[in-house]
Amino acid sequence: MPRLDFWYEFASTYSYPAAMRIEAFAASQGVAVRWRPFLLGPIFAAQGWRDSPFNIYPAKGRYMWRDLARICSALELPLQRPEPFPQNSLLAARVALALPESLRAPFSRAVYSAEFGQGRPISDRAVVGELIAALGEDAPSVLARAESPDNKAALKSACEEAQALGLPGAPACVTEGGEVFWGNDRVEPAVEWALGEGGRQ
Amino acid sequence: MPRLDFWYEFASTYSYPAAMRIEAFAASQGVAVRWRPFLLGPIFAAQGWRDSPFNIYPAKGRYMWRDLARICSALELPLQRPEPFPQNSLLAARVALALPESLRAPFSRAVYSAEFGQGRPISDRAVVGELIAALGEDAPSVLARAESPDNKAALKSACEEAQALGLPGAPACVTEGGEVFWGNDRVEPAVEWALGEGGRQ
């Protein structure tokens, strides 16, 4: 079965609709998805940005919020802007990585729903703990694992991998052959490409 | 018949596939297209950019060229990077605006084909003159009209309109109701939205 790496950042707006739909869509096409949380901070910092480009460039920001509202409306996803935007996503990313792989996708969708569906603060330990507990896991021990030196190093290494892949932003899909597709609007072409690669194997 | 304004910049890479396909697609759906040449320079300058963001941010640039190659390949459009990139698009934009409306679309497609299909320099008067002549028009008189004070003022005013609309880049489609859709990948949603507006009238 062909596989896609789905790279996502919890602070990223367009990662929200992509995360909510990618697994069902990819599965319907016979493509497996590997969930790869990472942080855009280091990549943006390398471009001289210390804030979201949607805040730095107001025309892009205004457009993005309107575009996202249309996209969410078409997908019947609620949309509420979290304050502040962007949210600090470090804790959520560490938790996503610390969880067993089978819980990574449901936890990640729960984070996006809380953040962009309900406008809740995902940097809040209590909020993140609640989402962990809702999956039937023990929040304190998962949080401790998330903040262990090993897990912090694993997230740092994922960010370096994302940078080495040349990801320009999030979300991004990377096929086993190394093709990069950036954006919620590239989920379909990425899955199609992954299928083509599978056929060529 | 519902109508879309198609805002395009001759230096813009993603405007190339959009320009080559928008008219046929919109017509097939019963939507008219009004061609609106403009310059991104003033909009980018307002964001502090004195070059294409694809040059300023190398990760975005590398991704864009690969993404564009995939898009052009799927549309069976040739792709050759013009040097330098971006091309100075002032003359071509002035000519597009100076031509009668019925020639604006075929001239614009001819410019994009020369620039990104064959890598030819579109700031070259001889190249632009050749494309004008191929439409059966008198190149010297069109070029003179293009550089008249009235036409220069008309292009400046179009750029101000684009800025007032909040266009974050090119290409962009704007419906009669004022909805903005940015990017080659938003041609279909824009046409669909324009149809919905038509139905609500």
Side-chain angles (χ1 to χ4, degrees):
Chain A
M1 193 187 218
R3 193 189 67 197
L4 270 185
D5 272 8
F6 174 59
W7 291 85
Y8 57 104
E9 146 72 86
F10 283 115
S12 148
T13 50
Y14 284 113
S15 293
Y16 167 45
M20 301 310 280
R21 70 198 187 84
I22 191 168
E23 206 158 62
F25 175 71
S28 77
Q29 306 295 307
V31 172
V33 175
R34 191 163 65 159
W35 289 65
R36 306 294 312 267
F38 78 116
L39 302 173
L40 275 174
I43 289 175
F44 282 178
Q47 305 188 342
W49 297 336
R50 312 226 141 252
D51 190 1
S52 162
F54 295 127
N55 290 341
I56 300 174
Y57 306 115
K60 286 186 83 162
R62 276 189 300 271
Y63 174 76
M64 179 276 290
W65 287 109
R66 178 63 190 144
D67 190 44
L68 189 67
R70 289 189 304 238
I71 289 167
C72 289
S73 163
L75 295 170
E76 299 186 355
L77 288 173
L79 176 62
Q80 196 168 330
R81 178 182 170 139
E83 294 296 343
F85 172 79
Q87 290 279 301
N88 184 322
S89 54
L90 180 60
L91 180 64
R94 283 179 175 163
V95 169
L97 207 58
L99 284 168
E101 204 168 337
S102 63
L103 293 179
R104 199 165 292 142
F107 171 76
S108 298
R109 284 189 292 261
V111 171
Y112 282 117
S113 288
E115 181 186 21
F116 293 113
Q118 304 169 52
R120 297 180 73 193
I122 60 155
S123 58
D124 187 319
R125 292 180 79 79
V127 171
V128 173
E130 187 190 305
L131 301 176
I132 296 168
L135 293 170
E137 295 286 299
D138 180 59
S141 68
V142 170
L143 285 167
R145 207 159 68 234
E147 290 174 324
S148 69
D150 274 6
N151 193 62
K152 287 181 180 179
L155 181 59
K156 191 155 177 275
S157 147
C159 295
E160 285 161 2
E161 190 182 340
Q163 211 153 5
L165 284 166
L167 305 191
C173 295
V174 183
T175 67
E176 291 176 279
E179 285 289 323
V180 176
F181 293 83
W182 175 30
N184 170 60
D185 43 32
R186 293 296 192 282
V187 166
E188 287 79 5
V191 167
E192 197 184 325
W193 193 281
L195 282 172
E197 281 181 354
R200 284 195 292 275
Q201 273 164 5
Chain B
M1 193 189 219
R3 193 189 67 197
L4 270 185
D5 273 6
F6 174 60
W7 291 85
Y8 58 104
E9 146 73 86
F10 284 114
S12 148
T13 50
Y14 285 113
S15 293
Y16 166 46
M20 300 310 280
R21 70 199 186 85
I22 190 169
E23 205 159 62
F25 175 72
S28 77
Q29 306 295 307
V31 172
V33 176
R34 190 164 64 159
W35 290 64
R36 306 294 310 267
F38 79 117
L39 302 173
L40 276 174
I43 289 175
F44 283 177
Q47 307 189 340
W49 298 335
R50 312 226 141 253
D51 191 0
S52 163
F54 295 126
N55 289 340
I56 299 173
Y57 306 114
K60 287 186 83 162
R62 275 190 299 270
Y63 174 76
M64 178 277 290
W65 286 109
R66 177 64 191 146
D67 190 46
L68 189 68
R70 288 189 303 236
I71 290 168
C72 289
S73 164
L75 296 170
E76 300 187 354
L77 288 174
L79 176 62
Q80 195 167 331
R81 179 181 170 141
E83 294 297 344
F85 172 80
Q87 289 280 299
N88 184 322
S89 55
L90 180 60
L91 180 64
R94 283 179 175 164
V95 169
L97 207 58
L99 284 168
E101 204 170 338
S102 63
L103 294 180
R104 198 165 292 144
F107 172 76
S108 299
R109 285 189 291 263
V111 170
Y112 282 116
S113 289
E115 181 186 19
F116 292 112
Q118 304 169 52
R120 298 179 73 192
I122 61 155
S123 59
D124 187 319
R125 292 179 80 78
V127 170
V128 173
E130 187 190 305
L131 301 176
I132 297 168
L135 295 169
E137 295 287 298
D138 180 59
S141 68
V142 171
L143 284 167
R145 208 159 68 235
E147 291 176 323
S148 69
D150 274 7
N151 194 62
K152 287 181 179 177
L155 181 59
K156 191 155 177 274
S157 147
C159 295
E160 285 161 1
E161 191 182 341
Q163 211 152 4
L165 284 165
L167 304 191
C173 293
V174 183
T175 67
E176 290 175 281
E179 285 289 324
V180 177
F181 294 83
W182 176 30
N184 170 62
D185 42 33
R186 292 297 191 282
V187 166
E188 288 78 6
V191 167
E192 196 184 325
W193 192 281
L195 282 172
E197 280 181 353
R200 284 194 293 275
Q201 272 163 7

